[in-house]
Amino acid sequence: MEYQTVRTTCTYCGTGCGVLLEVLDGEVIGTLPQKDHPINEGKLCIKGWNAHEFIYADGRLTKPLIRKGDKLEEASWDEALQYVAKRFLELKEKYGPDSLGCFSSAKCTNEENYLLQKIFRAVIGTNNVDHCARL
Amino acid sequence: MAGLAAAFGSGAMTNSVPEFEDADCILITGSNTTSSHPLIASRIMTAKAKGAKIIVIDPRRTHMAALADIHVKQNLGSDVAWINGLMHIILKEGWHNQSFIDERTEGFEELKKVIENYTPEKVEEITGIPKETLREIAEIYAKSEKSSIVYCMGITQHITGTDNVKSLANLAMLTGQIGRPSTGVNPLRGQNNVQGSTDMAAIPNKYPGYQDVTSDEVREKFEKAWGGPLSPNVGLTVVEMINAIEEGKLKGLYILGENPMISDPDSTHVEKALDDIEFLVVQDIFLTETARKADVVLPGSSFAEKDGTYTGTDRRLQKIRKAIEPLGDAKEDWEILCLVGKAMGSKGFDFASPSEVFDELAELTPIYHGIDYDRIEHEIIHWPCRDKDDPGSPYLHKDGFARGKGLFTAIEYKPPAELPDDEYPHQLTTGRLPFHYHTGTMTRVSPSLTHEVNEAFIELHPEDAKSLGVRNGEKVRVSSRRGSIEVKVMLTPGIKKGVAFIPFHFVEAAANRLTNAAALDPIAKIPEYKVCAIKIEKLDGREA
Ligand code: SF4
Ligand code: SF4
């Protein structure tokens, strides 16, 4: 049996408490507070204590899906990525860059937000970039 | 955010979380802190234990309100009026900080003229706050050595959201309660990385680090860094994009980790737009209501399956670390985005790790310039941090405001866009529960959390329930001009009479089917979903 704890940050609110994910044989089994974290100092709220529970929830997506008629069918990464790129570039060609846009996410990391806006600003050529958290 | 940026030159929380502990007065409004930010609430409790006065201005008797020294329930949407009222009293009594006003601010004369009219009597009439209490609040806030203001979406989600925030900024500048430790104006961000995603320009008018897309100089810098021409035009917001789909102008949309079908103010409208759009890509970890509408769904990873950084509500950079591999064939989200960029033929996505992505973004973002993965491994850094020797900035605006002088804005009170009438006689406000997170895609699959509360409800004042003839636990139909839902009644004397509250986490009775998207704050473009008019009916067919 291999047990380790991984120092990370709770994802449930902007307070950003420090947590330890308990990992047993490659599976996350619990969340503990970081005692030495300046924000939470060894405490967590009920959401934080359960931060790991949704990781293995039913319905986690594990394969790319492509719409065929009414249904979403499993596809390979290669197929899905090529299709996304082709359709966006076609639409850009036909209707111009401002016919495309993205909703980025206040739940995702800085790096992910940076990359998505870079795709839309630098590759597509539009500033139609926003996130849902002003809501 | 727009409001604070206009006043100070930065829209972020002015002070850091641990500083709350040493405040002498904390004024909390539009934030159900104990529910939404429990560990910030616990700092505020510590402050109280150390003698701080806690003032809560909120139409609901929240936990924090119950523990406060003073709690008043203002009429919904009357925030500008009570803030102007406080400033009126402070000026009359000479509790303002004239030297701070003279040295650090501009626009004071205009402000003075407007607040002149907000006499305690007039303010009591608009807001329902007794004038004696208003005076007491004004005195405690102005005369305490260190006073801090805390607010959340209760303040920003109004047609006057930007005005409300500017008014709070006025109050802090008038009394010099800003630019020092444990003072300031502090918006608490709801989701974990609201601050970071805005810093990273997930907004239509800025490049990362709040650099204007309309500035030629800034654009040239990014054109050089990213190797190609960029658009000089401000883009569309979420709500404007939804409208553009219906007008046939927006053809393709990429949604990363969001579920606007539930979180958007007017979800019937959003559903139609997502049905109509030509091409929709959703990158998420669950097959959400939004993902079901997609043409392509890309399986991403949870926070346990990837490395990266979040920026906490107080501008604090923190790491998340990979604990396990992504499930099945899913991939880390940063990697998916790099693959999409490459598939489109771009050379700008050759990153071997999130740390390399961070280095590029820090290079281009002056407020992040001094930060890297090695430093945040063992240091707590709050931006701005401009070079490697800069320790960062727990509080802002110390010797000058980010925009130079702090700007007062004279603001008149405007009533909410949709007032109750004969047909829709109640007012509805929406919000969060302590056990759930935004639209519930993550928390509602978590057994420990759904055990606590797993059904939507409407909070009503017992007297309202009595006149409607409904009992605790009974199901009712709640309708607005936009739609209707069925929910159970939960009686609570903690809410203002005439006002009802529905949490917005539940798909089957999404409160946002009722709320008012047509009324947008003209500047921040935040839909008004804190207040709308509703009617409540019994379900058994009898007259309610
Ligand atoms: S533990 Fe609670 S307060 Fe801390 S970040 Fe998580 S959700 Fe927020
Ligand atoms: S929306 Fe939630 S977090 Fe915001 S004020 Fe209401 S209860 Fe607080």
Side-chain angles (χ1 to χ4, degrees):
Chain A
M1 286 215 303
E2 199 193 316
Y3 173 84
Q4 61 174 149
T5 55
V6 178
R7 264 175 6 113
T8 189
T9 307
C10 176
T11 60
Y12 277 140
C13 88
T15 310
C17 293
V19 298
L20 296 169
L21 286 181
E22 300 184 277
V23 184
L24 182 66
D25 292 334
E27 190 177 332
V28 184
I29 55 164
T31 312
L32 299 170
Q34 285 178 29
K35 285 218 172 58
D36 57 353
H37 194 280
I39 295 297
N40 53 311
E41 299 174 319
K43 290 172 281 196
L44 289 178
C45 77
I46 179 170
K47 287 177 290 185
W49 279 109
N50 297 291
H52 62 285
E53 277 193 0
F54 78 96
I55 298 172
Y56 301 105
D58 287 347
R60 273 290 305 265
L61 290 165
T62 56
K63 286 232 159 41
L65 305 172
I66 295 182
R67 177 164 304 281
K68 305 252 159 79
D70 292 347
K71 280 211 232 66
L72 284 165
E73 289 178 10
E74 288 186 0
S76 73
W77 272 105
D78 202 43
E79 195 187 345
L81 291 164
Q82 291 309 324
Y83 184 51
V84 169
K86 180 171 146 271
R87 290 289 280 132
F88 272 114
L89 295 177
E90 275 171 11
L91 290 169
K92 174 184 168 181
E93 185 69 24
K94 197 159 158 205
Y95 301 104
D98 288 333
S99 70
L100 302 171
C102 66
F103 297 175
S104 199
S105 173
K107 288 182 268 188
C108 289
T109 65
N110 292 329
E111 292 77 3
E112 290 151 11
N113 275 284
Y114 176 80
L115 289 167
L116 183 62
Q117 63 89 38
K118 186 175 175 185
I119 293 174
F120 277 80
R121 292 198 158 100
V123 187
I124 305 280
T126 179
N127 286 312
N128 291 340
V129 177
D130 200 9
H131 64 128
C132 298
R134 56 173 91 228
L135 304 180
Chain B
M1 233 161 322
L4 273 198
F8 303 150
S10 161
M13 220 172 132
T14 58
N15 290 61
S16 71
V17 171
E19 289 172 48
F20 286 129
E21 248 179 71
D22 298 311
D24 302 302
C25 161
I26 303 177
L27 189 159
I28 304 166
T29 184
S31 156
N32 187 353
T33 327
T34 342
S35 288
S36 302
H37 298 87
L39 270 291
I40 292 180
S42 91
R43 290 281 166 164
I44 297 175
M45 310 290 189
T46 311
K48 182 172 159 67
K50 287 165 76 173
K53 288 271 186 286
I54 309 297
I55 300 165
V56 172
I57 299 169
D58 204 298
R60 297 175 68 209
R61 188 171 162 85
T62 58
H63 272 279
M64 189 56 86
L67 296 161
D69 297 278
I70 300 178
H71 171 217
V72 285
K73 296 177 189 170
Q74 81 277 37
N75 290 335
L76 288 184
S78 70
D79 300 298
V80 166
W82 65 257
I83 304 166
N84 280 350
L86 289 179
M87 291 194 283
H88 179 99
I89 297 167
I90 289 168
L91 261 182
K92 275 266 139 69
E93 298 291 342
W95 297 330
H96 58 295
N97 185 335
Q98 194 63 48
S99 61
F100 186 92
I101 297 168
D102 293 342
E103 288 158 28
R104 302 272 316 260
T105 68
E106 58 194 7
F108 180 59
E109 289 309 316
E110 290 79 1
L111 175 81
K112 212 166 148 182
K113 255 179 256 154
V114 166
I115 59 182
E116 183 64 40
N117 303 323
Y118 287 79
T119 59
E121 293 71 30
K122 174 173 164 181
V123 171
E124 174 166 349
E125 200 186 299
I126 301 173
T127 65
I129 303 175
K131 54 181 193 285
E132 300 72 29
T133 318
L134 200 69
R135 194 193 142 87
E136 205 185 333
I137 295 170
E139 178 160 15
I140 296 171
Y141 176 80
K143 289 168 93 176
S144 293
E145 162 85 19
K146 288 169 286 176
S147 290
S148 181
I149 297 171
V150 172
Y151 71 89
C152 185
M153 287 173 323
I155 276 289
T156 52
Q157 282 174 351
H158 283 297
I159 185 113
T160 60
T162 304
D163 283 353
N164 293 350
V165 174
K166 284 182 182 166
S167 299
L168 291 173
N170 286 343
L171 176 63
M173 289 191 289
L174 182 75
T175 48
Q177 297 285 17
I178 184 159
R180 293 178 285 126
S182 307
T183 63
V185 184
N186 296 293
L188 302 182
R189 307 294 184 206
Q191 295 175 58
N192 54 315
N193 202 28
V194 174
Q195 188 60 53
S197 56
T198 340
D199 296 348
M200 287 303 106
I203 40 179
N205 57 342
K206 304 282 181 186
Y207 292 114
Y210 306 96
Q211 305 176 80
D212 286 316
V213 297
T214 48
S215 148
D216 292 337
E217 193 190 329
V218 170
R219 194 167 54 250
E220 275 161 30
K221 168 174 125 178
F222 278 91
E223 287 179 338
K224 224 167 120 202
W226 290 344
L230 298 172
S231 166
N233 306 320
V234 169
L236 303 178
T237 64
V238 166
V239 177
E240 289 168 336
M241 281 191 251
I242 297 288
N243 293 337
I245 296 171
E246 298 208 352
E247 289 159 16
K249 290 183 193 142
L250 198 89
K251 305 286 187 185
L253 185 62
Y254 196 119
I255 302 180
L256 171 65
E258 289 285 357
N259 192 8
M261 280 277 295
I262 306 298
S263 65
D264 242 66
D266 186 345
S267 41
T268 322
H269 182 56
V270 174
E271 177 165 11
K272 175 153 191 317
L274 296 185
D275 280 335
D276 289 352
I277 193 159
E278 218 173 301
F279 189 61
L280 176 65
V281 177
V282 175
Q283 177 173 335
D284 207 316
I285 62 174
F286 293 113
L287 195 61
T288 59
E289 295 72 21
T290 302
R292 285 178 214 281
K293 307 256 175 216
D295 296 288
V296 180
V297 181
L298 301 174
S301 37
S302 79
F303 79 117
E305 296 148 49
K306 61 195 180 188
D307 288 319
T309 55
Y310 293 152
T311 303
T313 185
D314 59 358
R315 300 170 279 104
R316 170 178 19 105
L317 268 290
Q318 296 203 133
K319 258 194 190 163
I320 58 163
R321 293 180 183 81
K322 183 168 171 169
I324 54 168
E325 289 301 323
L327 305 192
D329 272 349
K331 285 186 192 295
E332 296 170 47
D333 295 273
W334 68 273
E335 190 191 351
I336 299 173
L337 293 163
C338 288
L339 291 170
V340 169
K342 285 182 197 162
M344 289 181 180
S346 170
K347 294 200 169 51
F349 294 86
D350 239 336
F351 298 103
S353 67
S355 159
E356 287 187 18
V357 180
F358 192 91
D359 290 342
E360 177 176 308
L361 70 85
E363 186 61 40
L364 291 165
T365 307
I367 54 176
Y368 278 53
H369 201 243
I371 307 172
D372 59 46
Y373 269 39
D374 283 345
R375 281 191 74 183
I376 54 175
E377 194 61 50
H378 45 83
E379 256 182 274
I380 294 287
I381 304 177
H382 304 261
W383 66 253
C385 170
R386 296 182 189 277
D387 57 57
K388 299 286 177 215
D389 304 317
D390 183 346
S393 319
Y395 66 96
L396 299 176
H397 318 305
K398 184 173 176 222
D399 302 310
F401 285 98
R403 73 180 288 278
K405 293 228 164 178
L407 178 66
F408 283 111
T409 316
I411 299 163
E412 296 281 4
Y413 159 77
K414 295 183 212 76
E418 192 178 76
L419 286 168
D421 54 20
D422 288 347
E423 201 182 345
Y424 298 97
H426 284 84
Q427 274 190 307
L428 173 74
T429 176
T430 64
R432 227 174 272 287
L433 288 178
F435 309 115
H436 287 288
Y437 178 76
H438 213 56
T439 67
T441 36
M442 277 151 68
T443 47
R444 290 195 72 199
V445 294
S446 165
S448 317
L449 300 179
T450 42
H451 181 72
E452 300 283 344
V453 188
N454 196 24
E455 192 176 8
F457 55 82
I458 183 165
E459 279 186 14
L460 282 184
H461 194 277
E463 282 184 38
D464 288 333
K466 206 167 148 201
S467 54
L468 289 164
V470 299
R471 274 191 305 267
N472 198 25
E474 178 174 339
K475 265 207 166 179
V476 290
R477 175 173 302 113
V478 182
S479 347
S480 75
R481 292 189 171 79
R482 287 153 296 277
S484 93
I485 62 177
E486 290 177 11
V487 283
K488 269 194 179 166
V489 171
M490 190 187 269
L491 296 184
T492 165
I495 195 159
K496 227 178 141 65
K497 256 194 343 192
V499 173
F501 168 83
I502 302 181
F504 60 58
H505 309 279
F506 300 97
V507 182
E508 61 277 11
N512 298 336
R513 290 203 181 271
L514 306 174
T515 48
N516 190 0
L520 283 188
D521 177 299
I523 298 168
K525 296 183 174 153
I526 296 180
E528 176 151 71
Y529 58 172
K530 275 287 156 183
V531 194
C532 74
I534 54 165
K535 100 180 135 195
I536 302 166
E537 295 163 297
K538 275 179 93 75
L539 272 182
D540 58 12
R542 278 181 292 134
E543 272 293 289

